[in-house]
Amino acid sequence: MNKRIVEIAPSVLSADFANLAREIEQVESAGADVIHLDVMDGHFVPNITIGPPVVASIRKITSLPLDAHLMIENPDRYIDSFIRAGVNWLSVHVEADTHINRTLQHLRANGVRAGVAINPGTPLGALDEIFPWVDFILLMTVNPGFGGQKFIPSSLRKIRHLRDSIVLNRYPVRIEVDGGIDSGNLKDVLTAGAEIIVAGSAIFSSEKGASEAVREMKGIAERQIKNQHLV
Ligand code: DX5
Ligand code: ZN
């Protein structure tokens, strides 16, 4: 495996939306690397969240990369609005996009990192034909729609399998994981091969406070990377 960089991506889904600027500022100064934004339409998932205007407002208050996770049907209809709103990374669900190859090329042509999200029940084979157009895979480790759910244990095997095929084929594709990740299972997730770690409730609902939760996760990630380089 090449030199690994682990990034922590707090998901603001579990933040206090009336105080988003303050919440984001806290995780940013604690060392968060990316801000993860969960976009839900009430169709692809049974919940509704934010759209481009909120993303554009968030763009003004942070210099961190914005990572939009679109849990919506017909994502192509909205992608340009999210690009205009200032996202840097964007993922669409493989289950929701009929012409995903075209979508991914469009993202890259617009300077946005192209991501594909995949649900726990979808086999990895659904990704086989699109790796050359993908910058990152967002592997869901819960069924999308809500924060605060429990990590699905079989996800570890799925992360390992994805890592193996990426390494085998030498694709320059990173693995992002999302759902139920906290300081208790972070080490396992990293060992399995994840590199970008989304965490919502473990950060914004933490009793220690969001800043401390980010520092703790960054610390675990740094130790883990050092250990992997020793072996
Ligand atoms: C779930 C979202 C996640 C969510 C994660 O559908 O995609 O990004 O915010 O929240 P936690 O970390 O609480 O599982
Ligand atoms: Zn997400």
Side-chain angles (χ1 to χ4, degrees), residues 11-14 36-38 40 45 69 71 93 138 140-151 178-182 198-203 205:
S11 159
V12 299
L13 187 62
S14 294
H36 184 81
L37 303 171
D38 289 299
M40 305 186 189
V45 288
H69 173 195
M71 287 159 274
H93 267 264
L138 172 47
M140 289 307 300
T141 47
V142 299
N143 288 296
F146 304 94
Q149 301 182 83
K150 210 171 147 7
F151 181 84
D178 185 3
I181 297 165
D182 57 24
V198 177
S201 53
I203 290 176
S205 310

PDB file of all heavy atoms in Angstrom, residues 11-14 36-38 40 45 69 71 93 138 140-151 178-182 198-203 205, ligand 1:
ATOM      1  N   SER A  11     -19.573  14.812   9.954  1.00  0.00           N
ATOM      2  CA  SER A  11     -20.838  14.980   9.253  1.00  0.00           C
ATOM      3  C   SER A  11     -21.722  15.908  10.071  1.00  0.00           C
ATOM      4  O   SER A  11     -22.082  15.587  11.209  1.00  0.00           O
ATOM      5  CB  SER A  11     -21.529  13.628   9.093  1.00  0.00           C
ATOM      6  OG  SER A  11     -22.913  13.839   8.863  1.00  0.00           O
ATOM      7  N   VAL A  12     -22.100  17.029   9.472  1.00  0.00           N
ATOM      8  CA  VAL A  12     -22.871  18.016  10.228  1.00  0.00           C
ATOM      9  C   VAL A  12     -24.323  17.602  10.442  1.00  0.00           C
ATOM     10  O   VAL A  12     -25.082  18.314  11.101  1.00  0.00           O
ATOM     11  CB  VAL A  12     -22.812  19.428   9.590  1.00  0.00           C
ATOM     12  CG1 VAL A  12     -21.386  19.951   9.549  1.00  0.00           C
ATOM     13  CG2 VAL A  12     -23.428  19.451   8.214  1.00  0.00           C
ATOM     14  N   LEU A  13     -24.674  16.431   9.921  1.00  0.00           N
ATOM     15  CA  LEU A  13     -26.045  15.950  10.135  1.00  0.00           C
ATOM     16  C   LEU A  13     -26.403  15.921  11.633  1.00  0.00           C
ATOM     17  O   LEU A  13     -27.541  16.174  12.008  1.00  0.00           O
ATOM     18  CB  LEU A  13     -26.192  14.546   9.528  1.00  0.00           C
ATOM     19  CG  LEU A  13     -27.582  13.931   9.505  1.00  0.00           C
ATOM     20  CD1 LEU A  13     -28.523  14.775   8.653  1.00  0.00           C
ATOM     21  CD2 LEU A  13     -27.544  12.504   8.962  1.00  0.00           C
ATOM     22  N   SER A  14     -25.426  15.624  12.449  1.00  0.00           N
ATOM     23  CA  SER A  14     -25.685  15.550  13.892  1.00  0.00           C
ATOM     24  C   SER A  14     -25.341  16.852  14.610  1.00  0.00           C
ATOM     25  O   SER A  14     -25.376  16.908  15.844  1.00  0.00           O
ATOM     26  CB  SER A  14     -24.880  14.403  14.520  1.00  0.00           C
ATOM     27  OG  SER A  14     -25.344  13.169  14.037  1.00  0.00           O
ATOM     28  N   HIS A  36     -18.344  16.925   5.881  1.00  0.00           N
ATOM     29  CA  HIS A  36     -19.232  16.011   5.149  1.00  0.00           C
ATOM     30  C   HIS A  36     -20.668  16.524   5.245  1.00  0.00           C
ATOM     31  O   HIS A  36     -21.191  16.764   6.339  1.00  0.00           O
ATOM     32  CB  HIS A  36     -19.108  14.625   5.780  1.00  0.00           C
ATOM     33  CG  HIS A  36     -19.890  13.556   5.092  1.00  0.00           C
ATOM     34  ND1 HIS A  36     -19.451  12.922   3.953  1.00  0.00           N
ATOM     35  CD2 HIS A  36     -21.087  12.989   5.389  1.00  0.00           C
ATOM     36  CE1 HIS A  36     -20.335  12.002   3.582  1.00  0.00           C
ATOM     37  NE2 HIS A  36     -21.353  12.030   4.433  1.00  0.00           N
ATOM     38  N   LEU A  37     -21.308  16.674   4.087  1.00  0.00           N
ATOM     39  CA  LEU A  37     -22.659  17.239   4.031  1.00  0.00           C
ATOM     40  C   LEU A  37     -23.628  16.207   3.472  1.00  0.00           C
ATOM     41  O   LEU A  37     -23.473  15.767   2.318  1.00  0.00           O
ATOM     42  CB  LEU A  37     -22.656  18.492   3.144  1.00  0.00           C
ATOM     43  CG  LEU A  37     -21.671  19.588   3.575  1.00  0.00           C
ATOM     44  CD1 LEU A  37     -21.600  20.682   2.514  1.00  0.00           C
ATOM     45  CD2 LEU A  37     -22.077  20.178   4.925  1.00  0.00           C
ATOM     46  N   ASP A  38     -24.608  15.822   4.252  1.00  0.00           N
ATOM     47  CA  ASP A  38     -25.549  14.776   3.859  1.00  0.00           C
ATOM     48  C   ASP A  38     -26.797  15.391   3.249  1.00  0.00           C
ATOM     49  O   ASP A  38     -27.551  16.102   3.923  1.00  0.00           O
ATOM     50  CB  ASP A  38     -25.921  13.937   5.082  1.00  0.00           C
ATOM     51  CG  ASP A  38     -24.750  13.078   5.516  1.00  0.00           C
ATOM     52  OD1 ASP A  38     -24.308  12.250   4.712  1.00  0.00           O
ATOM     53  OD2 ASP A  38     -24.269  13.262   6.644  1.00  0.00           O
ATOM     54  N   MET A  40     -30.344  14.714   1.572  1.00  0.00           N
ATOM     55  CA  MET A  40     -31.375  13.659   1.487  1.00  0.00           C
ATOM     56  C   MET A  40     -32.667  14.252   0.929  1.00  0.00           C
ATOM     57  O   MET A  40     -33.024  15.381   1.266  1.00  0.00           O
ATOM     58  CB  MET A  40     -31.650  13.092   2.885  1.00  0.00           C
ATOM     59  CG  MET A  40     -30.407  12.586   3.594  1.00  0.00           C
ATOM     60  SD  MET A  40     -30.833  11.782   5.134  1.00  0.00           S
ATOM     61  CE  MET A  40     -29.199  11.533   5.852  1.00  0.00           C
ATOM     62  N   VAL A  45     -33.895   8.118   0.354  1.00  0.00           N
ATOM     63  CA  VAL A  45     -33.835   7.761   1.782  1.00  0.00           C
ATOM     64  C   VAL A  45     -35.026   8.414   2.488  1.00  0.00           C
ATOM     65  O   VAL A  45     -35.538   9.435   2.026  1.00  0.00           O
ATOM     66  CB  VAL A  45     -32.518   8.233   2.448  1.00  0.00           C
ATOM     67  CG1 VAL A  45     -31.335   7.405   1.995  1.00  0.00           C
ATOM     68  CG2 VAL A  45     -32.266   9.709   2.184  1.00  0.00           C
ATOM     69  N   HIS A  69     -22.577  14.371   0.046  1.00  0.00           N
ATOM     70  CA  HIS A  69     -23.012  12.986  -0.125  1.00  0.00           C
ATOM     71  C   HIS A  69     -24.475  13.048  -0.534  1.00  0.00           C
ATOM     72  O   HIS A  69     -25.349  13.308   0.301  1.00  0.00           O
ATOM     73  CB  HIS A  69     -22.812  12.256   1.228  1.00  0.00           C
ATOM     74  CG  HIS A  69     -23.359  10.868   1.271  1.00  0.00           C
ATOM     75  ND1 HIS A  69     -23.543  10.193   2.467  1.00  0.00           N
ATOM     76  CD2 HIS A  69     -23.752  10.022   0.288  1.00  0.00           C
ATOM     77  CE1 HIS A  69     -24.033   8.983   2.213  1.00  0.00           C
ATOM     78  NE2 HIS A  69     -24.181   8.861   0.908  1.00  0.00           N
ATOM     79  N   MET A  71     -27.800  11.668  -1.249  1.00  0.00           N
ATOM     80  CA  MET A  71     -28.697  10.513  -1.098  1.00  0.00           C
ATOM     81  C   MET A  71     -30.025  10.914  -1.718  1.00  0.00           C
ATOM     82  O   MET A  71     -31.025  11.123  -1.026  1.00  0.00           O
ATOM     83  CB  MET A  71     -28.842  10.159   0.388  1.00  0.00           C
ATOM     84  CG  MET A  71     -27.596   9.500   0.958  1.00  0.00           C
ATOM     85  SD  MET A  71     -27.519   9.645   2.760  1.00  0.00           S
ATOM     86  CE  MET A  71     -26.734  11.248   2.907  1.00  0.00           C
ATOM     87  N   HIS A  93     -25.019   8.001  -5.329  1.00  0.00           N
ATOM     88  CA  HIS A  93     -25.189   6.577  -5.038  1.00  0.00           C
ATOM     89  C   HIS A  93     -25.247   5.770  -6.322  1.00  0.00           C
ATOM     90  O   HIS A  93     -25.962   6.142  -7.260  1.00  0.00           O
ATOM     91  CB  HIS A  93     -26.453   6.355  -4.199  1.00  0.00           C
ATOM     92  CG  HIS A  93     -26.146   6.355  -2.743  1.00  0.00           C
ATOM     93  ND1 HIS A  93     -25.926   5.199  -2.028  1.00  0.00           N
ATOM     94  CD2 HIS A  93     -25.965   7.367  -1.885  1.00  0.00           C
ATOM     95  CE1 HIS A  93     -25.640   5.500  -0.775  1.00  0.00           C
ATOM     96  NE2 HIS A  93     -25.658   6.814  -0.666  1.00  0.00           N
ATOM     97  N   LEU A 138     -17.473   5.874  -1.485  1.00  0.00           N
ATOM     98  CA  LEU A 138     -18.058   6.116  -0.155  1.00  0.00           C
ATOM     99  C   LEU A 138     -18.823   4.849   0.236  1.00  0.00           C
ATOM    100  O   LEU A 138     -19.944   4.605  -0.241  1.00  0.00           O
ATOM    101  CB  LEU A 138     -18.981   7.330  -0.205  1.00  0.00           C
ATOM    102  CG  LEU A 138     -19.837   7.665   1.014  1.00  0.00           C
ATOM    103  CD1 LEU A 138     -19.022   7.615   2.296  1.00  0.00           C
ATOM    104  CD2 LEU A 138     -20.417   9.053   0.885  1.00  0.00           C
ATOM    105  N   MET A 140     -20.931   2.751   2.504  1.00  0.00           N
ATOM    106  CA  MET A 140     -21.848   2.969   3.628  1.00  0.00           C
ATOM    107  C   MET A 140     -21.741   1.803   4.614  1.00  0.00           C
ATOM    108  O   MET A 140     -21.834   0.639   4.225  1.00  0.00           O
ATOM    109  CB  MET A 140     -23.302   3.077   3.136  1.00  0.00           C
ATOM    110  CG  MET A 140     -23.632   4.341   2.365  1.00  0.00           C
ATOM    111  SD  MET A 140     -23.200   5.876   3.205  1.00  0.00           S
ATOM    112  CE  MET A 140     -24.188   5.764   4.703  1.00  0.00           C
ATOM    113  N   THR A 141     -21.564   2.173   5.873  1.00  0.00           N
ATOM    114  CA  THR A 141     -21.441   1.144   6.905  1.00  0.00           C
ATOM    115  C   THR A 141     -22.691   1.117   7.807  1.00  0.00           C
ATOM    116  O   THR A 141     -22.710   0.439   8.827  1.00  0.00           O
ATOM    117  CB  THR A 141     -20.144   1.364   7.718  1.00  0.00           C
ATOM    118  OG1 THR A 141     -20.043   2.746   8.078  1.00  0.00           O
ATOM    119  CG2 THR A 141     -18.922   1.023   6.880  1.00  0.00           C
ATOM    120  N   VAL A 142     -23.721   1.866   7.382  1.00  0.00           N
ATOM    121  CA  VAL A 142     -25.095   1.756   7.904  1.00  0.00           C
ATOM    122  C   VAL A 142     -26.009   1.953   6.686  1.00  0.00           C
ATOM    123  O   VAL A 142     -25.542   2.390   5.631  1.00  0.00           O
ATOM    124  CB  VAL A 142     -25.451   2.844   8.955  1.00  0.00           C
ATOM    125  CG1 VAL A 142     -24.550   2.760  10.179  1.00  0.00           C
ATOM    126  CG2 VAL A 142     -25.397   4.249   8.350  1.00  0.00           C
ATOM    127  N   ASN A 143     -27.284   1.663   6.848  1.00  0.00           N
ATOM    128  CA  ASN A 143     -28.223   2.004   5.774  1.00  0.00           C
ATOM    129  C   ASN A 143     -28.469   3.501   5.840  1.00  0.00           C
ATOM    130  O   ASN A 143     -28.842   4.019   6.899  1.00  0.00           O
ATOM    131  CB  ASN A 143     -29.516   1.203   5.936  1.00  0.00           C
ATOM    132  CG  ASN A 143     -29.286  -0.251   5.585  1.00  0.00           C
ATOM    133  OD1 ASN A 143     -28.974  -0.579   4.449  1.00  0.00           O
ATOM    134  ND2 ASN A 143     -29.397  -1.126   6.572  1.00  0.00           N
ATOM    135  N   PRO A 144     -28.252   4.220   4.725  1.00  0.00           N
ATOM    136  CA  PRO A 144     -28.297   5.677   4.791  1.00  0.00           C
ATOM    137  C   PRO A 144     -29.676   6.228   5.153  1.00  0.00           C
ATOM    138  O   PRO A 144     -30.691   5.587   4.920  1.00  0.00           O
ATOM    139  CB  PRO A 144     -27.884   6.108   3.386  1.00  0.00           C
ATOM    140  CG  PRO A 144     -28.166   4.946   2.510  1.00  0.00           C
ATOM    141  CD  PRO A 144     -27.980   3.724   3.362  1.00  0.00           C
ATOM    142  N   GLY A 145     -29.673   7.404   5.696  1.00  0.00           N
ATOM    143  CA  GLY A 145     -30.927   8.088   6.014  1.00  0.00           C
ATOM    144  C   GLY A 145     -30.906   8.793   7.360  1.00  0.00           C
ATOM    145  O   GLY A 145     -31.588   9.795   7.538  1.00  0.00           O
ATOM    146  N   PHE A 146     -30.125   8.273   8.272  1.00  0.00           N
ATOM    147  CA  PHE A 146     -30.138   8.843   9.629  1.00  0.00           C
ATOM    148  C   PHE A 146     -28.751   8.788  10.252  1.00  0.00           C
ATOM    149  O   PHE A 146     -27.974   7.871   9.958  1.00  0.00           O
ATOM    150  CB  PHE A 146     -31.103   8.052  10.522  1.00  0.00           C
ATOM    151  CG  PHE A 146     -32.495   8.002   9.964  1.00  0.00           C
ATOM    152  CD1 PHE A 146     -32.897   6.943   9.173  1.00  0.00           C
ATOM    153  CD2 PHE A 146     -33.387   9.049  10.185  1.00  0.00           C
ATOM    154  CE1 PHE A 146     -34.167   6.899   8.613  1.00  0.00           C
ATOM    155  CE2 PHE A 146     -34.656   9.023   9.618  1.00  0.00           C
ATOM    156  CZ  PHE A 146     -35.050   7.946   8.839  1.00  0.00           C
ATOM    157  N   GLY A 147     -28.499   9.741  11.141  1.00  0.00           N
ATOM    158  CA  GLY A 147     -27.284   9.676  11.944  1.00  0.00           C
ATOM    159  C   GLY A 147     -27.536   8.786  13.154  1.00  0.00           C
ATOM    160  O   GLY A 147     -28.678   8.410  13.441  1.00  0.00           O
ATOM    161  N   GLY A 148     -26.471   8.444  13.835  1.00  0.00           N
ATOM    162  CA  GLY A 148     -26.594   7.746  15.109  1.00  0.00           C
ATOM    163  C   GLY A 148     -26.954   6.277  15.042  1.00  0.00           C
ATOM    164  O   GLY A 148     -27.366   5.691  16.033  1.00  0.00           O
ATOM    165  N   GLN A 149     -26.794   5.637  13.869  1.00  0.00           N
ATOM    166  CA  GLN A 149     -27.099   4.204  13.775  1.00  0.00           C
ATOM    167  C   GLN A 149     -25.848   3.378  14.108  1.00  0.00           C
ATOM    168  O   GLN A 149     -24.741   3.882  14.132  1.00  0.00           O
ATOM    169  CB  GLN A 149     -27.565   3.864  12.364  1.00  0.00           C
ATOM    170  CG  GLN A 149     -28.796   4.624  11.904  1.00  0.00           C
ATOM    171  CD  GLN A 149     -29.195   4.178  10.506  1.00  0.00           C
ATOM    172  OE1 GLN A 149     -29.881   3.172  10.325  1.00  0.00           O
ATOM    173  NE2 GLN A 149     -28.756   4.928   9.497  1.00  0.00           N
ATOM    174  N   LYS A 150     -26.099   2.078  14.284  1.00  0.00           N
ATOM    175  CA  LYS A 150     -25.019   1.186  14.681  1.00  0.00           C
ATOM    176  C   LYS A 150     -24.241   0.688  13.449  1.00  0.00           C
ATOM    177  O   LYS A 150     -24.848   0.306  12.451  1.00  0.00           O
ATOM    178  CB  LYS A 150     -25.648  -0.012  15.415  1.00  0.00           C
ATOM    179  CG  LYS A 150     -24.774  -0.638  16.453  1.00  0.00           C
ATOM    180  CD  LYS A 150     -25.582  -1.651  17.257  1.00  0.00           C
ATOM    181  CE  LYS A 150     -24.795  -2.841  17.740  1.00  0.00           C
ATOM    182  NZ  LYS A 150     -23.391  -2.895  17.579  1.00  0.00           N
ATOM    183  N   PHE A 151     -22.945   0.697  13.550  1.00  0.00           N
ATOM    184  CA  PHE A 151     -22.042   0.180  12.509  1.00  0.00           C
ATOM    185  C   PHE A 151     -22.390  -1.276  12.178  1.00  0.00           C
ATOM    186  O   PHE A 151     -22.563  -2.099  13.086  1.00  0.00           O
ATOM    187  CB  PHE A 151     -20.607   0.279  13.035  1.00  0.00           C
ATOM    188  CG  PHE A 151     -19.547  -0.190  12.096  1.00  0.00           C
ATOM    189  CD1 PHE A 151     -19.044   0.651  11.113  1.00  0.00           C
ATOM    190  CD2 PHE A 151     -19.026  -1.476  12.194  1.00  0.00           C
ATOM    191  CE1 PHE A 151     -18.046   0.221  10.245  1.00  0.00           C
ATOM    192  CE2 PHE A 151     -18.024  -1.916  11.334  1.00  0.00           C
ATOM    193  CZ  PHE A 151     -17.529  -1.062  10.363  1.00  0.00           C
ATOM    194  N   ASP A 178     -18.708   5.566   6.088  1.00  0.00           N
ATOM    195  CA  ASP A 178     -19.729   6.470   6.620  1.00  0.00           C
ATOM    196  C   ASP A 178     -20.814   5.676   7.352  1.00  0.00           C
ATOM    197  O   ASP A 178     -21.507   4.860   6.729  1.00  0.00           O
ATOM    198  CB  ASP A 178     -20.340   7.236   5.432  1.00  0.00           C
ATOM    199  CG  ASP A 178     -21.340   8.299   5.841  1.00  0.00           C
ATOM    200  OD1 ASP A 178     -21.541   8.517   7.049  1.00  0.00           O
ATOM    201  OD2 ASP A 178     -21.928   8.911   4.920  1.00  0.00           O
ATOM    202  N   GLY A 179     -20.927   5.938   8.655  1.00  0.00           N
ATOM    203  CA  GLY A 179     -22.036   5.363   9.414  1.00  0.00           C
ATOM    204  C   GLY A 179     -21.590   4.548  10.617  1.00  0.00           C
ATOM    205  O   GLY A 179     -20.916   3.532  10.471  1.00  0.00           O
ATOM    206  N   GLY A 180     -21.932   5.060  11.793  1.00  0.00           N
ATOM    207  CA  GLY A 180     -21.679   4.306  13.025  1.00  0.00           C
ATOM    208  C   GLY A 180     -20.219   4.222  13.415  1.00  0.00           C
ATOM    209  O   GLY A 180     -19.829   3.325  14.173  1.00  0.00           O
ATOM    210  N   ILE A 181     -19.405   5.141  12.919  1.00  0.00           N
ATOM    211  CA  ILE A 181     -17.973   5.072  13.249  1.00  0.00           C
ATOM    212  C   ILE A 181     -17.676   5.983  14.444  1.00  0.00           C
ATOM    213  O   ILE A 181     -18.131   7.124  14.508  1.00  0.00           O
ATOM    214  CB  ILE A 181     -17.117   5.426  12.021  1.00  0.00           C
ATOM    215  CG1 ILE A 181     -17.383   4.367  10.946  1.00  0.00           C
ATOM    216  CG2 ILE A 181     -15.629   5.481  12.381  1.00  0.00           C
ATOM    217  CD1 ILE A 181     -16.932   4.723   9.578  1.00  0.00           C
ATOM    218  N   ASP A 182     -16.928   5.411  15.392  1.00  0.00           N
ATOM    219  CA  ASP A 182     -16.570   6.171  16.597  1.00  0.00           C
ATOM    220  C   ASP A 182     -15.157   5.774  17.023  1.00  0.00           C
ATOM    221  O   ASP A 182     -14.502   4.961  16.352  1.00  0.00           O
ATOM    222  CB  ASP A 182     -17.598   5.928  17.728  1.00  0.00           C
ATOM    223  CG  ASP A 182     -17.744   4.461  18.081  1.00  0.00           C
ATOM    224  OD1 ASP A 182     -16.804   3.679  17.838  1.00  0.00           O
ATOM    225  OD2 ASP A 182     -18.821   4.091  18.606  1.00  0.00           O
ATOM    226  N   VAL A 198     -15.907   9.359   7.939  1.00  0.00           N
ATOM    227  CA  VAL A 198     -17.033  10.245   8.255  1.00  0.00           C
ATOM    228  C   VAL A 198     -17.540   9.864   9.646  1.00  0.00           C
ATOM    229  O   VAL A 198     -17.688   8.686   9.957  1.00  0.00           O
ATOM    230  CB  VAL A 198     -18.177  10.063   7.234  1.00  0.00           C
ATOM    231  CG1 VAL A 198     -19.373  10.937   7.612  1.00  0.00           C
ATOM    232  CG2 VAL A 198     -17.702  10.381   5.827  1.00  0.00           C
ATOM    233  N   ALA A 199     -17.791  10.874  10.457  1.00  0.00           N
ATOM    234  CA  ALA A 199     -18.391  10.597  11.768  1.00  0.00           C
ATOM    235  C   ALA A 199     -19.304  11.756  12.126  1.00  0.00           C
ATOM    236  O   ALA A 199     -18.908  12.922  12.053  1.00  0.00           O
ATOM    237  CB  ALA A 199     -17.305  10.421  12.834  1.00  0.00           C
ATOM    238  N   GLY A 200     -20.542  11.426  12.452  1.00  0.00           N
ATOM    239  CA  GLY A 200     -21.525  12.449  12.804  1.00  0.00           C
ATOM    240  C   GLY A 200     -21.781  12.479  14.290  1.00  0.00           C
ATOM    241  O   GLY A 200     -21.253  13.334  15.021  1.00  0.00           O
ATOM    242  N   SER A 201     -22.567  11.522  14.780  1.00  0.00           N
ATOM    243  CA  SER A 201     -22.941  11.558  16.198  1.00  0.00           C
ATOM    244  C   SER A 201     -21.736  11.377  17.110  1.00  0.00           C
ATOM    245  O   SER A 201     -21.695  11.960  18.195  1.00  0.00           O
ATOM    246  CB  SER A 201     -24.010  10.491  16.483  1.00  0.00           C
ATOM    247  OG  SER A 201     -23.590   9.233  16.023  1.00  0.00           O
ATOM    248  N   ALA A 202     -20.732  10.604  16.674  1.00  0.00           N
ATOM    249  CA  ALA A 202     -19.554  10.395  17.535  1.00  0.00           C
ATOM    250  C   ALA A 202     -18.807  11.706  17.769  1.00  0.00           C
ATOM    251  O   ALA A 202     -18.061  11.843  18.733  1.00  0.00           O
ATOM    252  CB  ALA A 202     -18.622   9.364  16.920  1.00  0.00           C
ATOM    253  N   ILE A 203     -19.022  12.677  16.889  1.00  0.00           N
ATOM    254  CA  ILE A 203     -18.367  13.981  17.065  1.00  0.00           C
ATOM    255  C   ILE A 203     -19.345  14.995  17.666  1.00  0.00           C
ATOM    256  O   ILE A 203     -19.114  15.528  18.746  1.00  0.00           O
ATOM    257  CB  ILE A 203     -17.793  14.481  15.721  1.00  0.00           C
ATOM    258  CG1 ILE A 203     -16.592  13.587  15.332  1.00  0.00           C
ATOM    259  CG2 ILE A 203     -17.381  15.954  15.810  1.00  0.00           C
ATOM    260  CD1 ILE A 203     -15.977  13.889  13.975  1.00  0.00           C
ATOM    261  N   SER A 205     -22.405  14.691  18.886  1.00  0.00           N
ATOM    262  CA  SER A 205     -23.195  14.353  20.081  1.00  0.00           C
ATOM    263  C   SER A 205     -22.295  13.839  21.201  1.00  0.00           C
ATOM    264  O   SER A 205     -22.785  13.272  22.176  1.00  0.00           O
ATOM    265  CB  SER A 205     -24.242  13.284  19.754  1.00  0.00           C
ATOM    266  OG  SER A 205     -24.974  13.641  18.603  1.00  0.00           O
TER     267      SER A 205
HETATM  268  C1  DX5 B   1     -26.190   8.589   7.065  1.00  0.00           C
HETATM  269  C2  DX5 B   1     -25.245   9.666   6.638  1.00  0.00           C
HETATM  270  C3  DX5 B   1     -24.068   9.832   7.528  1.00  0.00           C
HETATM  271  C4  DX5 B   1     -24.417  10.197   8.956  1.00  0.00           C
HETATM  272  C5  DX5 B   1     -23.424   9.483   9.796  1.00  0.00           C
HETATM  273  O1  DX5 B   1     -27.134   8.381   6.085  1.00  0.00           O
HETATM  274  O2  DX5 B   1     -24.757   9.415   5.341  1.00  0.00           O
HETATM  275  O3  DX5 B   1     -23.106  10.719   7.007  1.00  0.00           O
HETATM  276  O4  DX5 B   1     -24.364  11.543   9.244  1.00  0.00           O
HETATM  277  O5  DX5 B   1     -23.782   9.642  11.109  1.00  0.00           O
HETATM  278  P1  DX5 B   1     -23.188   8.713  12.261  1.00  0.00           P
HETATM  279  O6  DX5 B   1     -21.692   8.909  12.257  1.00  0.00           O
HETATM  280  O7  DX5 B   1     -23.855   9.219  13.486  1.00  0.00           O
HETATM  281  O8  DX5 B   1     -23.561   7.297  11.925  1.00  0.00           O
END
